Amino acid sequence: MLNLGGIANLTRLYAGAPLIGFDTGPANALIDAWCAAERDAPFDVDGRWAATGSVQQALLDQCLADPYFELPPPKSTGKERFNLEWIAEQLSRLPALAPADVQRTLVELTAVTVVEAIPDTERTFDRLLVCGGGRHNRVLMERLSALCPTPVEDCGQHGADGDSLEAGIFAWLAFRCLHEVASPTGTVTGAQSSRVLGVRYPAG
């Protein structure tokens, strides 16, 4: 499973095998931030703006040099690392680029870092099922399909609502918290043992 939210994360699902999941790096966090800054729009509808630009290899290489991408899983990241300031830092080291080219390169960054992280799941797989808002970005899905060694499919093709799947997972985590059920997160977060996730703040 690939979730393309603000951050992209992979989850390996095999019957009888330990769960493995980790953040591969940025997804919508950078794409949306740049679109908001340059187009005053919350997101790039269907990746249409990105489709007007071209990948700038120098910028892509600069972005891929971030140490996070070399860390082995389990690992986690967020918008506190990958944000508009991070983009500005990468651009400050290069000649001026057209905003659409930056957008297209950020889409490529997401696709490349996802596919390059797939060997870290340690096993081959039959298909990559995608959920999250990023799957509506046509350019991103096309690049994932082109780079991935196996079929890339919208999880909706298999009966799951890709726009609410993550919300459902967090509801499940909240249920476990309320009932004080520990979750085995070592293969996802690197925790040394299982933990009850979340904190409750009762009113009054």
Side-chain angles (χ1 to χ4, degrees):
M1 291 291 299
L2 169 64
N3 176 47
L4 292 172
I7 299 298
N9 42 71
L10 282 170
T11 303
R12 187 193 77 182
L13 300 174
Y14 285 100
L19 173 71
I20 290 179
F22 58 94
D23 292 338
T24 64
N28 300 327
L30 296 184
I31 296 168
D32 291 352
W34 185 249
C35 188
E38 295 295 322
R39 306 270 288 186
D40 196 27
F43 59 92
D44 183 11
V45 178
D46 297 331
R48 295 173 193 167
W49 184 38
T52 68
S54 59
V55 175
Q56 299 299 302
Q57 193 62 46
L59 175 58
L60 180 60
D61 292 342
Q62 177 69 48
C63 293
L64 288 171
D66 188 288
Y68 179 79
F69 302 122
E70 296 299 320
L71 294 174
K75 60 181 179 178
S76 181
T77 190
K79 293 181 180 179
E80 70 282 354
R81 181 185 189 113
F82 293 106
N83 48 43
L84 195 59
E85 290 73 23
W86 185 88
I87 299 173
E89 172 63 23
Q90 310 311 311
L91 293 174
S92 70
R93 307 176 194 179
L94 299 168
L97 299 173
D101 289 348
V102 175
Q103 183 75 350
R104 176 65 184 83
T105 305
L106 293 175
V107 171
E108 191 73 7
L109 173 68
T110 296
V112 168
T113 50
V114 165
V115 174
E116 288 187 346
I118 285 173
D120 289 331
T121 63
E122 298 179 352
R123 294 189 184 187
T124 57
F125 57 95
D126 297 324
R127 56 183 175 248
L128 183 67
L129 303 184
V130 187
C131 65
R135 79 190 198 289
H136 297 298
N137 187 314
R138 179 178 55 81
V139 178
L140 178 53
M141 290 296 285
E142 287 175 355
R143 292 304 296 149
L144 284 169
S145 294
L147 296 171
C148 190
T150 55
V152 175
E153 302 173 2
D154 190 313
C155 67
Q157 297 174 237
H158 301 275
D161 183 349
D163 289 323
S164 63
L165 189 61
E166 187 173 24
I169 292 169
F170 275 94
W172 176 75
L173 290 171
F175 176 89
R176 293 175 71 86
C177 176
L178 289 172
H179 292 81
E180 299 184 347
V181 179
S183 297
T185 58
T187 57
V188 176
T189 67
Q192 296 301 306
S193 60
S194 298
R195 297 284 191 276
V196 175
L197 303 176
V199 179
R200 290 180 290 167
Y201 295 97

